[in-house]
Amino acid sequence: MTAVEIAPFPWSDVWGQDAAVQTLRAAASDPAALSHAWLITGPPGSGRSTLAYAFAAALIAEGPHDESTMRQVLAGTHPDVTALRTDKVIITIKEARALVERSYFAPSAGRYRVIVVEDADRMVERTSNVLLKALEEPPEQTVWVLCAPSEADLLPTIRSRVRALRLREPEVADVARLISARTGIDVTTAEQAARHAQRHIGMAQRLATDDAARRRRDETLRSVLGVRGVGTAVEAAGAIIQAATDDAKALTAERDEAERAALLRTVGVAEGQAVPPALRSQISALEEEQKKRATRSLRDGIDRVLTDLQSMYRDVIMLQYARRDALINRELEQELTALAETWPVERTLLALDAIADTRESLERNVAPLLALESLLVTVSSGRTP
């Protein structure tokens, strides 16, 4: 494995993106190299938001020596950085307008005011239009930093007003080394997690440290390999949805309860006490937000399953072309080899196309269970319904 150079604070948590760090360090230290709006793109897990906040810290601080200010920015407590991250399906117009309003405030303590939008790809066209003027003519001391998987995820009018910075995708071996160093997990488990996560650093860390997540992934792939007809397709789809639902609840339940408890403390309601009628609207509003977040979490969980299935049929294609050196799911090599010898290449491509179509259907709010059932029937039969 190659050694990775560690950049100085606040860039030390940005891993494997030396060229991007060099560009943003120069921009933070030289006004002539600074653009008023940036778009950081890269695959999930490549460190887009980590880089964005490191850049914000460098912009706001008085210089490399001002470590206390940089730590305040990274902790999310500095008044001159405004961040928008969403757990919901889309960023609302109301949220976008609040950002634009904030962007016209002069910095209160630092050199610049920085607006970070972590999920810029979750803006629909009307919401994007709210940002246009602010991106085109921001105040002199305001810098926008948008994050998205790719430039194509944003409207051309947005792309034309920002300077784009594309992050590279790290190698499996490097992700494994990072995960092992961060968590103390053995190298073998870290390598398997990095491979299964397809180099997504956050997902690799979860797979490496969560036995249940690794087990669910393996059971899901094996259940799909065992589908032989409509009956088993329906059964497997139901199991996948249930697992994704349970996973989403596990990820959000603790946070939901903490938010509810904090709200009740704020309005003076003791634990176990009935909520007065006058305050029920606030509780209802919180529950509505949590419901939207749960929807997003479930959709993301199903999308992860589809990503895993995509990796499996991608491996089948590799085996059909006698490429065994870059399999993602090596643990299933025997089963996948049998499939590769049984199916024609065209059928494997049909499965991959069906997975892509299912992802698009879910983005259009098709019922997840129906979408997965249709997918598994297509995969098992080799024909579209």
Side-chain angles (χ1 to χ4, degrees):
M1 297 181 195
T2 58
V4 178
E5 180 183 351
I6 304 298
F9 190 79
W11 310 95
S12 49
D13 283 341
V14 180
W15 183 85
Q17 304 293 347
D18 296 345
V21 167
Q22 184 177 359
T23 297
L24 294 182
R25 285 180 69 185
S29 60
D30 180 8
L34 181 63
S35 298
H36 65 276
W38 297 75
L39 171 61
I40 300 175
T41 64
S46 58
R48 300 185 303 252
S49 59
T50 302
L51 181 60
Y53 289 114
F55 184 36
L59 284 170
I60 292 171
E62 292 298 330
H65 61 281
D66 190 7
E67 189 169 314
S68 61
T69 295
M70 290 188 283
R71 290 193 181 279
Q72 193 178 358
V73 172
L74 296 181
T77 58
H78 197 283
D80 290 333
V81 62
T82 301
L84 176 59
R85 59 182 70 87
T86 184
D87 296 309
K88 296 176 291 186
V89 176
I90 63 170
I91 293 173
T92 65
I93 289 181
K94 181 179 178 181
E95 290 170 322
R97 285 175 177 157
L99 279 186
V100 170
E101 181 180 346
R102 192 76 179 170
S103 73
Y104 287 103
F105 292 178
S108 59
R111 295 186 300 150
Y112 294 93
R113 176 168 296 283
V114 182
I115 312 292
V116 178
V117 183
E118 289 191 27
D119 303 289
D121 55 306
R122 295 187 185 177
M123 293 187 295
V124 297
E125 184 173 354
R126 289 187 305 155
T127 307
S128 297
N129 289 335
V130 171
L131 299 185
L132 286 179
K133 184 173 177 59
L135 290 174
E136 190 172 28
E137 300 175 2
E140 187 175 342
Q141 290 178 283
T142 293
V143 177
W144 286 80
V145 185
L146 312 182
C147 302
S150 71
E151 292 184 47
D153 291 313
L154 277 73
L155 294 177
T157 47
I158 294 287
R159 300 200 299 266
S160 67
R161 289 163 170 79
V162 299
R163 178 176 173 183
L165 193 63
R166 175 74 182 177
L167 303 189
R168 75 175 188 88
E169 196 168 7
E171 296 299 322
V172 167
D174 289 335
V175 173
R177 181 165 60 86
L178 174 69
I179 298 305
S180 183
R182 279 184 178 179
T183 65
I185 290 292
D186 65 273
V187 175
T188 301
T189 302
E191 187 278 336
Q192 183 192 73
R195 183 164 32 85
H196 287 177
Q198 299 178 64
R199 298 174 285 186
H200 185 302
I201 295 171
M203 185 53 60
Q205 184 160 322
R206 185 181 181 204
L207 287 174
T209 57
D210 188 336
D211 291 339
R214 291 199 300 275
R215 185 175 63 253
R216 278 194 300 272
R217 183 185 188 278
D218 183 68
E219 290 173 352
T220 296
L221 296 187
R222 292 183 185 276
S223 72
V224 172
L225 285 174
V227 171
R228 293 293 180 269
V230 174
T232 49
V234 170
E235 184 178 337
I240 290 171
I241 293 296
Q242 187 60 55
T245 301
D246 293 344
D247 201 27
K249 286 180 179 177
L251 290 172
T252 59
E254 186 176 342
R255 178 177 174 182
D256 289 352
E257 186 58 37
E259 288 176 345
R260 181 183 174 87
L263 176 58
L264 291 176
R265 283 196 304 272
T266 300
V267 297
V269 177
E271 185 177 353
Q273 181 181 345
V275 178
L279 300 176
R280 287 175 188 166
S281 62
Q282 296 182 48
I283 298 296
S284 296
L286 174 63
E287 291 173 345
E288 185 62 30
E289 287 299 306
Q290 291 175 340
K291 191 180 297 183
K292 292 177 181 177
R293 186 166 64 210
T295 299
R296 182 77 239 181
S297 183
L298 175 59
R299 183 177 292 182
D300 288 346
I302 296 171
D303 193 66
R304 283 193 295 272
V305 170
L306 294 174
T307 300
D308 292 335
L309 294 180
Q310 213 165 31
S311 76
M312 187 169 70
Y313 293 111
R314 170 263 187 201
D315 284 349
V316 174
I317 284 282
M318 298 291 284
L319 290 167
Q320 287 171 326
Y321 284 99
R323 291 287 305 276
R324 297 178 178 273
D325 55 332
L327 297 183
I328 294 170
N329 301 283
R330 292 177 192 162
E331 297 73 17
L332 296 173
E333 183 172 353
Q334 183 176 344
E335 294 88 339
L336 299 183
T337 298
L339 204 60
E341 293 172 350
T342 304
W343 284 8
V345 171
E346 292 77 13
R347 181 166 174 179
T348 313
L349 292 173
L350 174 67
L352 288 168
D353 287 343
I355 293 171
D357 291 342
T358 301
R359 297 178 90 162
E360 291 182 8
S361 296
L362 291 172
E363 286 298 323
R364 296 195 300 270
N365 291 322
V366 171
L369 181 58
L370 293 177
L372 280 179
E373 288 174 353
S374 176
L375 167 65
L376 296 186
V377 168
T378 297
V379 169
S380 64
S381 67
R383 298 186 302 273
T384 55

